[in-house]
Amino acid sequence: SGGESLLQPQFFKELFRICKAEGIHTAIDTAGCMLGDDVKEALHYTDLVLLDVKCIDPDIHLTLTGKPLQPTLDFADYLAKRRIPAWVRYVLVPGYTDRDDLIEKHAAFVAGLNNVEKVEILPFHKMGSIKYELLGMEYPLKDTEPPSQERVENAKRIYRSRGIKVN
């Protein structure tokens, strides 16, 4: 649906409850920035979580998202404790998240989770810039170019070196 579905946990809980009753696989795409009781109840009906982690460094994460990192890490830990399958997504943004030390730190975090089926490297793109333009706002990453294929492959190698499936 776009946006953060966890902002409407009652709706997605009811939707997923109905889907599960019909034998339909359920998945949610989230930044994992909230974990109240309503969200925990909704996750009870969730087969798979696609979890975006914009950056493992708290300061860079805050710069890129305007939100603190810790709630996302707590969410990931909760999923692991509940053994809810997850695909973790790492956004590769040149000049921000494409440093090897940050990728290594993120890979170490993911390797410590028992529920991650794979990591998806999401190369930065400028498709979101139109939203800023339509809102009359300056796009903060307007001068950022997508990462090279070499940098994407480098990130993949780092995850694979820890035994993590990546695509």
Side-chain angles (χ1 to χ4, degrees), residues 16-166:
F16 278 19
R17 186 189 64 74
I18 293 167
C19 288
K20 294 297 288 182
E22 294 295 321
I24 299 171
H25 184 272
T26 59
I28 184 168
D29 188 346
T30 180
C33 53
M34 55 195 66
L35 189 59
D37 290 339
D38 287 346
V39 171
K40 289 178 180 179
E41 288 177 30
L43 288 170
H44 190 68
Y45 300 100
T46 305
D47 294 314
L48 176 67
V49 175
L50 289 76
L51 179 62
D52 288 352
V53 180
K54 305 297 188 205
C55 185
I56 198 68
D57 178 273
D59 295 328
I60 296 171
H61 187 278
L62 188 61
T63 297
L64 290 174
T65 68
K67 304 283 184 194
L69 172 63
Q70 193 59 50
T72 300
L73 300 181
D74 294 344
F75 189 90
D77 285 337
Y78 178 80
L79 294 177
K81 286 177 186 147
R82 293 279 323 275
R83 296 196 179 267
I84 298 171
W87 297 355
V88 175
R89 294 170 157 180
Y90 188 77
V91 182
L92 200 63
V93 184
Y96 292 92
T97 66
D98 66 336
R99 294 184 353 222
D100 286 1
D101 64 313
L102 294 176
I103 301 166
E104 289 277 359
K105 187 176 177 182
H106 184 262
F109 174 74
V110 170
L113 301 172
N114 61 7
N115 63 320
V116 176
E117 295 179 348
K118 68 178 177 178
V119 168
E120 294 182 318
I121 304 297
L122 302 180
F124 169 77
H125 56 73
K126 293 187 179 185
M127 289 189 277
S129 64
I130 190 69
K131 294 177 187 178
Y132 284 82
E133 185 179 315
L134 291 171
L135 292 169
M137 298 169 64
E138 172 123 9
Y139 185 51
L141 299 175
K142 69 179 180 193
D143 296 327
T144 303
E145 293 300 320
S148 67
Q149 190 59 37
E150 179 182 315
R151 291 303 298 157
V152 173
E153 291 304 317
N154 176 69
K156 289 179 180 183
R157 274 191 301 275
I158 291 171
Y159 287 97
R160 287 182 185 128
S161 74
R162 291 188 172 271
I164 299 168
K165 182 179 175 183
V166 64

